[in-house]
Amino acid sequence: MSLHRRQPPPAYLGEFEQLLLLAVLRLDRDAYGGDIARELDVRAGRSVSRGALYTSLDRLEDKGLVRWTLVAGTEARDGLPRRLYTVTPGGVAALRASRAVLHRMWRGLGAS
């Protein structure tokens, strides 16, 4: 009997999930919902509704790829707390696996 457990493969990520994780990583300590939506719009040219954004972030949380903590709100939010998102080690692993697959698929294709 082996004492080593085999790690499960990284989670499959769709394109939008990849973009969300990358936005959270880029924003680091400023990864709040509104900032994530702006990052997606500016860098990826993807406008996202508030509902779609939070539904997707919840799905990533269910997969164990992001987590959030409540932080104090600002005066602009009347002090209402807000969620600060971070990417988990599993989320980073899933992003790296997705990148590796894309690199393998593109390898050998012309620049067309």
Side-chain angles (χ1 to χ4, degrees):
M1 177 158 79
S2 173
L3 296 177
H4 299 284
R5 287 190 184 179
R6 184 175 259 197
Q7 291 287 3
Y12 169 79
L13 297 175
E15 179 193 16
F16 187 65
E17 291 174 319
Q18 290 178 48
L19 293 174
L20 271 174
L21 290 173
L22 290 168
V24 172
L25 285 171
R26 282 188 165 280
L27 291 167
D28 193 31
R29 297 181 193 274
D30 293 317
Y32 302 101
D35 298 305
I36 295 167
R38 277 187 290 283
E39 186 76 4
L40 290 170
D41 190 28
V42 169
R43 290 195 180 264
R46 297 280 296 261
S47 294
V48 59
S49 71
R50 184 180 169 120
L53 175 71
Y54 287 104
T55 297
S56 298
L57 286 167
D58 287 346
R59 185 173 58 248
L60 289 172
E61 182 187 17
D62 291 343
K63 290 181 176 185
L65 305 179
V66 297
R67 69 175 64 107
W68 57 267
T69 55
L70 276 182
V71 297
T74 61
E75 285 183 28
R77 291 177 45 87
D78 293 326
L80 291 173
R82 55 190 188 158
R83 293 179 181 188
L84 173 63
Y85 289 89
T86 56
V87 177
T88 66
V92 173
L95 274 171
R96 286 185 175 141
S98 292
R99 181 180 61 188
V101 168
L102 287 172
H103 281 278
R104 284 193 306 271
M105 293 302 294
W106 275 101
R107 194 171 299 131
L109 295 178
S112 51

